[in-house]
Amino acid sequence: MGFIRHVVCAMSGGVDSSVAALLLKRRGYSVTGVFMKNWDSLDESGVCNTETDCEDAYRVCQSLDIPFHQVSYIKEYWHEVFSKLLKDYEKGRTPNPDILCNKHIKFNHFHKYAIDTLGADAMATGHYARTSQEDDEVFEQKTIAPQTTLFRDRFEIRNPVRMYQAADLFKDQTFFLSQISQDALRQTMFPLAGLTKDFVKKIAAEAGFHHVLKKKESMGICFIGERNFESFILEYLEPKPGNFVSLEDGVVMGTHKGWFTMTLGQRAKIGGQRDPFFVVDKDITTGDVFVAPTTNHPALFRDMMRTDRFHWVTVEPPAELVKTQMMECRFRFIHQMPLIPCTVTLNMNGSVWISLSRPVRALTPGQFAVLYKGDECLGSGKIMQLGPSEFTLQRGRERLLAAAQQQQEQKTPEPAS
């Protein structure tokens, strides 16, 4: 009998990772299930969801007859994800903890734990994503010697592992994986790559995983759970009261507890208003939060943004972008939003300008701009700066028109009396 490959599967206690482990076992691999604890808290009723998730993951491993481990990254999560998140909120941005958690915890600390500590040949997760590698190729990556020279071997750059959307486009999670390193991707298997969510549930039911099937899909920020975001964030940041100011006429409409409790595009909690107002901008120097009526106010729509240094999944930017400094592709900044055609311009410092084919509602600094070419996820960059809103451009056009009209009137000679 040949050598059996050892795969470490990240187990969350949910249906996807449970089925991922089951499929790996069926393919004949030696599988170890590992539960990661990233956040230490009790919910309102004093129940720690992490405990029940861990118990569920353990039960699945027992029924699959595979070893089960627990690992804690509470300290790492605090320093590398949560504290960065708080800093972003204080700067008026709205971060994405799920993307950061995958980058820093699951595909960094956990990846190293799986390969170096448990001696696995590869790691696996229950994410809906695909790569350009066949399973056998994942195992060959183990033999690549660590880089000792300043520049990567040209062969390695010519053959980077690429990441593609999953077969189930609705469930596709490449958006959340858009910041992970090439080294981790090379040693990762995604057993659910070619499956739909419905089929995964069917496999779980047939395998008798009823306790995980009954669970609700985990939504929202993992460590907040069902709690109110404003009260949660105020446990960690000092309240910074300020005014709600009407963008259209500068009238003060009410007060708030801190600009970081709100994100662009959300409904503003202002008492005594008959019609809803929405957050369209923030000034963190004055503490003013600008609001405007109607959910589709032109102040919420923009078509330009600049990112920080862009993270390319394949390490190098696409050849066409390097050659011409410009590239056509598609964009999203929210998971599951429709992909929008865009033009990308590469800056000298590695950041990019993204120009969209149409204005999009509530583009938000701190969120990640994720780019796709065909079904390939190219990577992502954090949105740092926004172009002018439709409202600003509209006002600018009106002013120009008024100035031109005024000039015209001044030029028109007075009729002779």
Side-chain angles (χ1 to χ4, degrees):
M1 191 175 143
F3 177 64
I4 296 177
R5 299 291 190 181
H6 178 206
V7 182
V8 167
C9 187
M11 306 288 285
S12 66
V15 67
D16 297 328
S17 58
S18 301
V19 170
L22 168 71
L23 294 175
L24 291 166
K25 175 109 196 261
R26 279 187 188 165
R27 284 182 207 166
Y29 298 124
S30 161
V31 185
T32 299
V34 180
F35 181 82
M36 261 178 290
K37 189 173 180 182
N38 297 334
W39 188 256
D40 199 7
S41 75
L42 301 175
D43 69 9
E44 312 299 56
S45 54
V47 177
C48 180
N49 288 333
T50 316
E51 294 306 320
T52 51
D53 290 341
C54 185
E55 180 63 30
D56 291 339
Y58 174 64
R59 279 175 67 186
V60 169
C61 289
Q62 269 192 315
S63 72
L64 292 176
D65 194 24
I66 61 173
F68 173 78
H69 293 257
Q70 262 189 79
V71 61
S72 170
Y73 292 120
I74 291 170
K75 195 169 83 231
E76 292 83 352
Y77 191 93
W78 180 270
H79 291 301
E80 295 171 48
V81 178
F82 195 68
S83 57
K84 286 182 179 177
L85 189 101
L86 293 178
K87 282 195 184 93
D88 260 0
Y89 277 120
E90 286 191 301
K91 287 176 182 157
R93 301 181 192 138
T94 304
N96 187 316
D98 298 316
I99 289 178
L100 294 174
C101 182
N102 281 324
K103 178 190 176 90
H104 296 293
I105 309 298
K106 194 171 277 187
F107 290 87
N108 179 28
H109 293 295
F110 179 77
H111 166 245
K112 287 175 181 147
Y113 172 77
I115 306 296
D116 302 337
T117 307
L118 296 181
D121 298 296
M123 69 172 261
T125 73
H127 285 105
Y128 289 81
R130 273 189 310 136
T131 75
S132 54
Q133 290 189 125
E134 294 297 323
D135 288 354
D136 293 350
E137 294 176 274
V138 178
F139 300 123
E140 284 160 25
Q141 302 300 342
K142 189 87 162 115
T143 57
I144 291 176
Q147 187 183 330
T148 49
T149 56
L150 181 60
F151 298 103
R152 281 177 175 258
D153 179 352
R154 277 170 63 197
F155 169 77
E156 211 183 323
I157 284 187
R158 252 207 325 269
N159 291 295
V161 175
R162 298 177 182 277
M163 183 163 63
Y164 299 104
Q165 289 179 290
D168 187 332
L169 285 177
F170 183 72
K171 270 302 291 179
D172 171 61
Q173 288 170 308
T174 50
F175 176 84
F176 298 115
L177 302 174
S178 61
Q179 281 275 315
I180 69 174
S181 75
Q182 176 68 198
D183 292 338
L185 191 65
R186 277 181 180 280
Q187 294 185 308
T188 301
M189 298 165 81
F190 297 113
L192 308 187
L195 308 179
T196 61
K197 180 75 181 195
D198 287 344
F199 193 61
V200 167
K201 283 180 176 171
K202 193 166 169 282
I203 296 171
E206 284 167 5
F209 296 162
H210 302 295
H211 66 293
V212 295
L213 272 170
K214 286 201 293 265
K215 292 168 85 161
K216 270 199 326 214
E217 278 281 300
S218 59
M219 298 299 276
I221 303 174
C222 43
F223 47 77
I224 297 179
E226 304 294 313
R227 281 181 293 176
N228 168 289
F229 176 74
E230 183 177 301
S231 54
F232 173 81
I233 204 74
L234 287 169
E235 287 176 25
Y236 297 93
L237 296 177
E238 283 293 308
K240 298 226 171 102
N243 292 323
F244 282 119
V245 179
S246 165
L247 182 75
E248 294 185 348
D249 53 21
V251 170
V252 173
M253 302 188 65
T255 58
H256 61 78
K257 291 177 185 167
W259 64 83
F260 42 77
T261 64
M262 288 161 282
T263 187
L264 298 188
Q266 82 171 61
R267 186 172 173 168
K269 295 194 188 101
I270 310 173
Q273 294 300 320
R274 205 165 49 97
D275 299 315
F277 274 73
F278 294 83
V279 176
V280 294
D281 210 350
K282 308 182 203 179
D283 184 338
I284 65 167
T285 49
T286 62
D288 289 343
V289 170
F290 295 94
V291 295
T294 73
T295 182
N296 285 331
H297 192 278
L300 277 171
F301 286 82
R302 299 169 194 260
D303 62 6
M304 277 284 285
M305 77 208 85
R306 182 182 62 80
T307 68
D308 62 359
R309 187 180 178 83
F310 201 86
H311 171 83
W312 303 100
V313 170
T314 57
V315 182
E316 302 293 311
E320 134 189 36
L321 184 58
V322 174
K323 204 160 77 189
T324 65
Q325 245 71 69
M326 270 177 120
M327 177 180 73
E328 306 282 317
C329 55
R330 294 184 300 162
F331 155 93
R332 68 164 49 122
F333 76 105
I334 298 170
H335 175 50
Q336 293 178 336
M337 76 175 260
L339 287 164
I340 293 168
C342 66
T343 304
V344 175
T345 314
L346 184 62
N347 300 319
M348 291 297 285
N349 63 358
S351 66
V352 299
W353 275 102
I354 301 169
S355 176
L356 305 177
S357 62
R358 60 178 172 81
V360 167
R361 184 183 184 275
L363 278 178
T364 307
Q367 291 285 304
F368 283 87
V370 184
L371 297 178
Y372 291 83
K373 186 96 172 163
D375 60 354
E376 182 182 358
C377 176
L378 299 175
S380 63
K382 191 196 285 187
I383 300 171
M384 302 303 280
Q385 190 185 343
L386 301 176
S389 72
E390 291 294 287
F391 182 72
T392 304
L393 293 171
Q394 216 169 291
R395 284 229 160 149
R397 281 192 291 270
E398 284 163 10
R399 280 196 201 110
L400 279 172
L401 242 118
Q405 240 166 343
Q406 211 176 351
Q407 233 175 352
Q408 198 61 40
E409 283 161 16
Q410 285 164 354
K411 274 186 193 166
T412 310
E414 291 289 316
S417 50

